[in-house]
Amino acid sequence: MAAPATKTIGDLNGRWLLNKSLSDSVEPALALQGVGWLTRKTINTTSVTLHVKQYQGPPSPPAAAGDGAALVTRIDIDQVASGIKGTTENRCLDYVFREHSDWIFGRVQGRSRWIGAADLAALVAPDGEAVKGGWAKDDFVARDWLEGDAEKGGPDGETHILNHVQSLDNGWTALQVWGFQDIGGERRYTRNIVVAKGDKFVEFKMIYDWIPEDK
């Protein structure tokens, strides 16, 4: 189901079902990340639902080390998968690296922030930080987005959330950009993702169905 107009990058609260028929396969990326064959096959065929809570709150450590820290946007996501153990993503949009570990990806550190179209284009330009740093090979994560006024859900009119993750065990990085795209004439919540390791890159889209609250 298409996302309702009330849902923007500033309010992702609710449930989102990964649409496997519209999305690209995640298996090549999982292979590059060192995930085993059986786990890859299971993840690639199971249904995955995101339970999202987006709110203002104090940042988690290390940014919360001092008293009186300013509130930040926080996004807590429980990923519920049929037949296998799910995972949890807890993000603070202050672009501070925080460590996390789960059974699929092992130990990682990640950071997240709001980002607008112009800053995103600069990040993935040939001389941008992501390309020069080896997180991306081109501007894939900046393509195909809806950028109208209705999409400006960030505190300063940003249209996207950016996530940058580094593996602490297996040498890969993952760059994700979240927002909304026109998919077959319907507005849908989408993630453009590139996983990189050395000189290898896997680019793919994850496209979601909105689950109404009464379902």
Side-chain angles (χ1 to χ4, degrees):
M1 180 178 176
T6 54
K7 289 297 165 184
T8 70
I9 206 67
D11 177 15
L12 294 173
N13 289 291
R15 293 178 298 156
W16 304 87
L17 175 67
L18 180 64
N19 187 311
K20 294 289 184 77
S21 64
L22 295 177
S23 301
D24 299 319
S25 171
V26 300
E27 190 170 352
L30 293 173
L32 190 60
Q33 291 169 302
V35 178
W37 180 85
L38 182 59
T39 300
R40 297 200 311 266
K41 293 297 182 183
T42 302
I43 292 173
N44 205 41
T45 56
T46 193
S47 65
V48 178
T49 302
L50 307 181
H51 295 250
V52 181
K53 179 182 178 182
Q54 185 169 348
Y55 59 100
Q56 295 294 114
S60 59
D67 292 334
L71 298 182
V72 299
T73 300
R74 299 189 57 158
I75 303 178
D76 299 342
I77 302 177
D78 290 326
Q79 295 192 93
V80 179
S82 59
I84 61 172
K85 182 180 178 181
T87 60
T88 299
E89 305 174 10
N90 294 329
R91 292 181 166 89
C92 296
L93 271 59
D94 57 5
Y95 216 47
V96 173
F97 273 119
R98 293 174 173 85
E99 290 194 23
H100 168 74
S101 180
D102 67 43
W103 70 275
I104 298 176
F105 299 114
R107 293 189 311 123
V108 302
Q109 63 175 8
R111 56 182 179 172
S112 303
R113 67 181 173 104
W114 300 102
I115 193 166
D119 287 342
L120 178 57
L123 181 72
V124 295
D127 61 347
E129 182 183 6
V131 174
K132 291 175 70 175
W135 323 339
K137 66 177 180 178
D138 55 30
D139 67 348
F140 170 79
V141 296
R143 298 175 193 166
D144 304 326
W145 297 110
L146 296 173
E147 299 287 1
D149 288 346
E151 304 299 335
K152 295 180 178 179
D156 294 310
E158 298 93 343
T159 47
H160 307 293
I161 291 170
L162 179 139
N163 303 285
H164 174 219
V165 176
Q166 298 174 339
S167 170
L168 299 176
D169 297 322
N170 295 313
W172 53 263
T173 64
L175 184 64
Q176 297 190 26
V177 177
W178 303 355
F180 290 82
Q181 297 183 5
D182 185 320
I183 306 293
E186 294 184 319
R187 178 177 172 273
R188 290 182 180 269
Y189 171 50
T190 302
R191 299 180 176 186
N192 281 3
I193 304 170
V194 56
V195 173
K197 185 175 183 180
D199 61 355
K200 297 180 179 179
F201 299 86
V202 177
E203 300 172 334
F204 60 105
K205 289 180 183 289
M206 300 180 79
I207 300 168
Y208 294 87
D209 295 333
W210 167 249
I211 303 176
E213 294 181 2
D214 57 353
K215 295 289 182 147

